[in-house]
């Protein structure tokens, strides 16, 4: 189904307050989550699978928007795989969080009409465990759990737009 920001969406700019996002291939994501599958993250960087794709609605067709993603730790644990039970087990405290990065969709900024016309795919997004990465990939710690977040940001043309930054975006988690 469609996801919204839930409580706390009040006070948002009219250009984002009605924004909604539907995760494509949601059943595949749910199945992966149920099975407890993982991605092997490499130093060179690896494209995320499944690819994060959303269908947007509720944007102002004539306004400009930037779309981006980030990843937040799901908990404060490190994990290891137990082959005897075919499951992931907590194996201590998490490593310090890697530098926070965001991935801007390469078509950003674009009009709301363009974003709503077709499925938006983050197929260029790459994840790495290389703390010294200089390619702009999202840096994650191996053997940790993360929640992807998707953000729709209204490009506010006002001269003092930074004063309204907290009102000009809407975030989605699936």
């Amino acid at each position: 189904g469609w996801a919204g920001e839930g409580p706390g969406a009040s006070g948002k700019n009219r250009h984002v307050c009605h924004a909604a996002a539907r995760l494509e291939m949601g059943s595949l994501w749910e199945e992966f989550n149920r099975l407890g599958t993982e991605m092997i993250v490499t130093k060179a960087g690896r494209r995320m699978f499944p690819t994060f794709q959303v269908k947007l609605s509720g944007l102002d067709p004539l306004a400009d928007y930037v779309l981006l993603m980030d990843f937040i730790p799901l908990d404060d644990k490190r994990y290891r795989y137990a082959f005897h039970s075919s499951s992931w087990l907590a194996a201590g405290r998490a490593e310090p969080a890697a530098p926070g990065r965001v991935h801007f969709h390469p078509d950003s900024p674009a009009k709301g009409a363009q974003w709503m016309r077709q499925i938006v795919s983050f197929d260029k997004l790459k994840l790495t465990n290389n703390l010294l990465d200089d390619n702009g990939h999202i840096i994650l710690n191996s053997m940790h759990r993360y929640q992807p977040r998707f953000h729709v940001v209204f490009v506010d043309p006002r001269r003092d737009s930074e004063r309204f930054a907290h009102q000009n975006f809407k975030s989605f988690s699936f």
Side-chain angles (χ1 to χ4, degrees):
W2 293 86
E5 197 175 32
S10 61
K12 293 293 183 181
N13 185 303
R14 68 179 177 83
H15 291 95
V16 295
C17 67
H18 298 294
R22 184 185 72 221
L23 180 65
E24 293 294 311
M25 299 185 298
S27 59
L28 179 62
W29 283 88
E30 288 173 18
E31 181 71 5
F32 274 35
N33 185 53
R34 186 182 67 75
L35 293 172
T37 60
E38 77 285 351
M39 257 195 74
I40 297 173
V41 180
T42 64
K43 289 216 179 293
R46 176 164 286 172
R47 291 197 177 165
M48 190 168 72
F49 182 82
T51 301
F52 185 83
Q53 298 177 325
V54 290
K55 178 71 176 156
L56 294 172
S57 68
L59 303 181
D60 179 341
L62 302 176
D64 285 321
Y65 295 89
V66 169
L67 304 184
L68 54 105
M69 287 189 68
D70 67 357
F71 292 75
I72 56 171
L74 201 57
D75 57 30
D76 63 351
K77 296 176 176 54
R78 178 181 174 81
Y79 292 85
R80 67 176 177 83
Y81 191 73
F83 288 96
H84 66 280
S85 63
S86 298
S87 63
W88 287 95
L89 303 174
R93 299 206 36 88
E95 295 174 30
R101 286 189 176 174
V102 296
H103 174 80
F104 285 80
H105 191 281
D107 294 341
S108 292
K111 300 287 183 204
Q114 178 182 332
W115 293 125
M116 294 187 295
R117 185 175 9 252
Q118 62 215 13
I119 292 171
V120 177
S121 179
F122 280 81
D123 54 343
K124 303 280 190 265
L125 174 87
K126 282 193 171 182
L127 307 174
T128 184
N129 58 9
N130 180 4
L131 293 173
L132 303 175
D133 175 76
D134 59 359
N135 296 308
H137 303 330
I138 299 288
I139 301 172
L140 303 177
N141 286 323
S142 294
M143 312 307 273
H144 291 64
R145 295 177 60 193
Y146 292 90
Q147 172 71 53
R149 287 190 308 182
F150 169 65
H151 309 277
V152 175
V153 182
F154 166 61
V155 179
D156 194 334
R158 292 179 284 191
R159 194 174 282 202
D160 59 347
S161 62
E162 67 280 352
R163 288 184 43 222
F164 307 101
H166 63 285
Q167 299 173 356
N168 290 335
F169 72 93
K170 194 166 183 181
S171 300
F172 303 90
S173 295
F174 300 93

